[in-house]
Amino acid sequence: TREVQIKQGKIIGIVREMSSQLRLKNVDQFLGVPYAEAPVESRRFMPPSPPLAWQGVKYANKMGDVCPQKLPNLADANGFTKGRYDQIKRLLPFLTSESEDCLYLNLYVTSYGE
């Protein structure tokens, strides 16, 4: 994707190619962009502060960690409709990397080329 300047520094994402048959434009994805400094250790229970700036280019090409949470148990599928079960099964691989440092955005922007 193109290089984009944000307040903290420069980022480069990835391009998701969409179906031209459906007349969908490609999408620039900027994954795992920090939007706040995590309130961990001595800052726990304090409001998050703005993210730190970085030097050079940050590659925003993978999702950040998710907040710690109790994940659903798919072994006991009672109470799930088939659609809900399929959706949770598809999303579970993205929910396994948990951390208190989880203040990240995934941005999806219509790609207009250069």
Side-chain angles (χ1 to χ4, degrees), residues 2 6 10-11 23 32 41 57 63 81 89-90 101 113:
R2 62 188 181 269
I6 62 173
K10 296 178 183 177
I11 59 173
R23 297 184 204 179
E41 298 175 2
V57 177
M63 293 183 182
T81 64
K89 187 175 179 180
R90 182 179 59 83
D101 182 5

Side-chain angles (χ1 to χ4, degrees), residues 1-4 11-16 27-30 114:
T1 67
R2 62 188 181 269
E3 186 177 286
V4 176
I11 59 173
I12 292 180
I14 56 177
V15 176
R16 171 97 187 253
V27 175
D28 290 340
Q29 297 180 337
F30 300 93
E114 297 298 319

Side-chain angles (χ1 to χ4, degrees), residues 34-63:
Y35 71 89
E37 241 351 85
V40 295
E41 298 175 2
S42 65
R43 295 187 321 236
R44 184 169 288 170
F45 304 116
M46 300 297 292
S49 56
L52 299 174
W54 56 81
Q55 297 295 318
V57 177
K58 181 177 191 68
Y59 289 92
N61 57 1
K62 68 177 194 157
M63 293 183 182

Side-chain angles (χ1 to χ4, degrees), residues 65-80:
D65 292 337
V66 298
C67 296
Q69 56 196 293
K70 182 177 183 216
L71 298 175
N73 180 5
L74 290 181
D76 179 22
N78 294 336
F80 290 126

